[in-house]
Amino acid sequence: MKSKRSYLIILGLAITIIAILGYGCENKASTSKSGGALSSDVASQVYVPPGEYDEFYGFMSGGFSGQIGVYGIPSGRLLKVIPVFSVDPEKGYGFNEETKPLLNTSHGFVPWDDAHHPELSQTNGKTNGKWIFINGNNTPRIARIDLSTFETTEIIEIPNSGGNHSSPFTTENTEYVVAGTRFGVPYPQKDVAINSYAENFKGMLTFVSVKEEGDMDIAFQVLLPAFDYDLAHSGKGNSHGWTFFTTYNTEEKSTLLEVNASQNDKDFIAAVNWKKAEEYIKQGKFKEIPAEYAHNVYDEKSHVATSTLKKSVKVLTPEDCPGLVYFLPTPKSPHGVDVDPTGEYIIGNGKLSADLTVHSFSKMIKAIENQSFETTIEGIPVLKFEEVVAGVVKDAGLGPLHTEFDGKGNAYTSFFISSDVVKWKLGTWEVVDKAKTFYSVGHIMIPGGDSKEPQGKYLVALNKITKDRYLPTGPELCHSAQLYDISGDKMKLLLDFPTIGEPHYAQGISADRIVPNVKKFYPIEENTHQYRAMGEKDARVEREGNIVHVYMTTIRSHFAPDNIEGIKVGDKVYFHVTNLEQDWDVPHGFSVMGANNAELLIMGGQTETLIWEPKKEGVFPFYCTDFCSALHQEMQGYIRVSPRNSNIALSWRLGEDEEI
């Protein structure tokens, strides 16, 4: 009980410090009306003149919104929200028939998730602008977004997991994206007493392979003790072939973790040799374990997603696979784990510490060769702490969380409690600069800052608590990001800007790596949708019992057909709408009165489908919801609904008394 009381006293002091720092920042912000916290010379550094582009894209997780926000850097302008795990009425995502399968899981249709960590694809350790991945934390999933279209094209569910937090960090050539379970769960999943945690629960690390064309698959899983696997990053250079995961709750407790999971002086970084795992897979050292999980893929030619329920995974066990996993002791309750651009230094810091502990990959390998082990846990050697430590950054701040790199020999670490970003030198471990973030900072981002070649011009701090930095908006205030110039010796705060949802992590990349490959429309001749209409000559309406298929086209500024009769109460009407436009930025919307789902937003050359089930008789309008031309208001039509027993013939037309 004494240790618990000591911990609670420390926690109370930390909360008091946060409150004091918060009030201090609040007073500073509220009394600085003219320039705020920013000096007067920074406006020109973030100003992007009309008609000009930002230098960088910033991709920020939407947290509990389940989406990704795309921002221009340095302007901080919101450019787009990419629907990923949550339905989105703006674009019809998850509402139209084509994208519903993307949100399928082994639990059924799940139209929401908690999205934490966007991660750009890499080639030779350099961000390539091809894809961005992001994790679903609640129902464990990984999504892949195609950056030629900025649309979600694939989602794979992660079995044997609970809380997919240490995900979906890539390896150096995007061979894998990884996923670690934040919560230990029964393995196999079954009805057991929660207080049997240590006996029946396990942890699982998942390696998802990514093919050159993008298709994901679960290559293998690694069964580990029921610790909480919090974050991850993969090695680079000499450490390529390894992935590192932070752990906490090495006490293996299931209740009051704020106390019970902080008893051990040290937790671990799990170092996984995935190249060794590949060898064991080839040798057949795995167990094929039953596991249901959904794999959902969107086809760019048919514009339709399909969902496949898979039934098993390959599981490796450390006891059967020597050299697969090692534990590196690290100060208690570490959060982030980050690998510098050379691949030599592995930073995993206890968030209750004032120091930063840096591990050495080369020392780790030497310790393994010398069998410098403290003990073994479930077949996993625990390396001696003093044998793997490269150095310590002393008294840098309070509550270290995450580290990014600028490629110039500097590291930058966020400190949640003291609300700082701290710049320090790799190798000498000296602190060279500190910048206040005004309230509590979580992740930070430097474009390419977790790659071999950072583009170290800017740093973005992603803040959790931002009281009084913006106009009040009711009981909940907006979350925010702050932009710093890190091109000089000293960090300089340039801009605050609000974000969607709760931003956790972000990724940045120079625009020139994405812009040349952005798709402007879908070639209509490549459209293979089952219900496409390649021109107005294909527009028609067909009945199959009480199912009605409307093959509709849209082009500036009318639908074809725009008058439909012969629909009956109780029919299920499928509007298959093909946008015939072959020009950039000419989407068309479609909505019909009484629809209980959402609009369609159809890009040029695409076909999308809306289901409408009329419940009452009448004549109901439909119209284009996305402004498309000077005659946008005239882009409308009518559908007549007659009684269930009506004998009115099915008919359609475009123009006066002119059936198509």
Side-chain angles (χ1 to χ4, degrees), residues 20 34 57 59 69 86 147 155 166 175 216 260 298 324 334 370 375 380 400 409 420 426 452 459 463 496 516 589:
I20 292 170
S34 58
Y57 284 99
F59 296 92
S86 298
L147 292 180
I155 297 178
S166 47
E175 297 96 338
M216 297 189 293
N260 291 328
Y298 181 85
L324 178 61
N370 294 336
T375 186
I380 303 168
D420 295 319
L426 289 160
K452 287 172 70 174
L459 179 147
N463 299 322
D496 280 20

Side-chain angles (χ1 to χ4, degrees), residues 54-60 70-74 79 119-123 126-132 147 150 404 445-451 453-456 458 460 506-517:
D54 281 279
E55 187 178 356
F56 292 89
Y57 284 99
F59 296 92
M60 300 187 190
V70 184
Y71 296 82
I73 302 294
L79 305 177
E119 179 80 354
L120 288 160
S121 55
Q122 297 184 14
T123 302
K126 176 181 175 180
T127 55
N128 58 28
K130 191 173 183 180
W131 306 309
I132 192 163
L147 292 180
F150 284 66
E404 295 260 310
M445 179 274 282
I446 294 171
D450 66 344
S451 72
E453 296 185 22
Q455 298 177 294
Y458 297 111
V460 176
Q507 289 270 274
I509 185 171
S510 58
D512 59 11
R513 297 186 186 180
I514 290 181
V515 170
N517 300 315

Side-chain angles (χ1 to χ4, degrees), residues 402-621:
H402 305 283
T403 301
E404 295 260 310
F405 308 91
D406 63 7
K408 304 169 188 174
N410 302 306
Y412 301 74
T413 300
S414 60
F415 286 80
F416 179 80
I417 295 174
S418 53
S419 299
D420 295 319
V421 175
V422 175
K423 178 181 178 180
W424 52 277
K425 295 291 289 184
L426 289 160
T428 66
W429 325 122
E430 60 181 314
V431 172
V432 295
D433 193 23
K434 287 188 180 184
K436 283 294 177 187
T437 59
F438 303 96
Y439 301 97
S440 302
V441 59
H443 278 278
I444 55 177
M445 179 274 282
I446 294 171
D450 66 344
S451 72
K452 287 172 70 174
E453 296 185 22
Q455 298 177 294
K457 184 174 182 179
Y458 297 111
L459 179 147
V460 176
L462 303 167
N463 299 322
K464 301 297 186 184
I465 302 168
T466 54
K467 286 185 175 64
D468 287 348
R469 297 293 286 177
Y470 303 97
L471 289 171
T473 52
E476 184 192 22
L477 302 178
C478 67
H479 295 269
S480 82
Q482 289 177 308
L483 179 71
Y484 293 80
D485 179 353
I486 60 169
S487 60
D489 292 335
K490 297 293 184 181
M491 293 177 279
K492 183 163 67 172
L493 178 60
L494 301 180
L495 181 69
D496 280 20
F497 57 97
T499 62
I500 63 165
E502 180 190 3
H504 288 264
Y505 188 41
Q507 289 270 274
I509 185 171
S510 58
D512 59 11
R513 297 186 186 180
I514 290 181
V515 170
N517 300 315
V518 169
K519 187 183 288 291
K520 296 184 176 180
F521 54 85
Y522 294 89
I524 191 73
E525 67 274 8
E526 295 179 5
N527 186 331
T528 63
H529 194 290
Q530 180 183 358
Y531 296 101
R532 70 190 184 278
M534 303 296 281
E536 291 184 2
K537 60 180 175 52
D538 294 334
R540 62 195 186 277
V541 184
E542 296 177 349
R543 176 181 288 280
E544 301 169 3
N546 71 328
I547 304 295
V548 177
H549 291 279
V550 179
Y551 294 73
M552 180 177 284
T553 65
T554 178
I555 196 167
R556 287 166 286 184
S557 296
H558 63 267
F559 295 97
D562 65 2
N563 281 200
I564 303 171
E565 301 191 27
I567 305 300
K568 303 175 185 180
V569 172
D571 281 346
K572 182 177 284 189
V573 182
Y574 289 80
F575 290 95
H576 309 289
V577 185
T578 301
N579 182 349
L580 300 179
E581 305 283 359
Q582 295 289 271
D583 197 3
W584 195 10
D585 195 28
V586 194
H588 287 295
F590 175 82
S591 180
V592 60
M593 183 177 176
N596 57 7
N597 35 38
E599 65 157 2
L600 299 178
L601 187 64
I602 315 120
M603 301 299 117
Q606 272 190 326
T607 301
E608 290 188 1
T609 302
L610 180 142
I611 292 182
W612 182 61
E613 300 184 53
K615 303 291 194 300
K616 58 180 71 173
E617 302 163 22
V619 178
F620 302 97

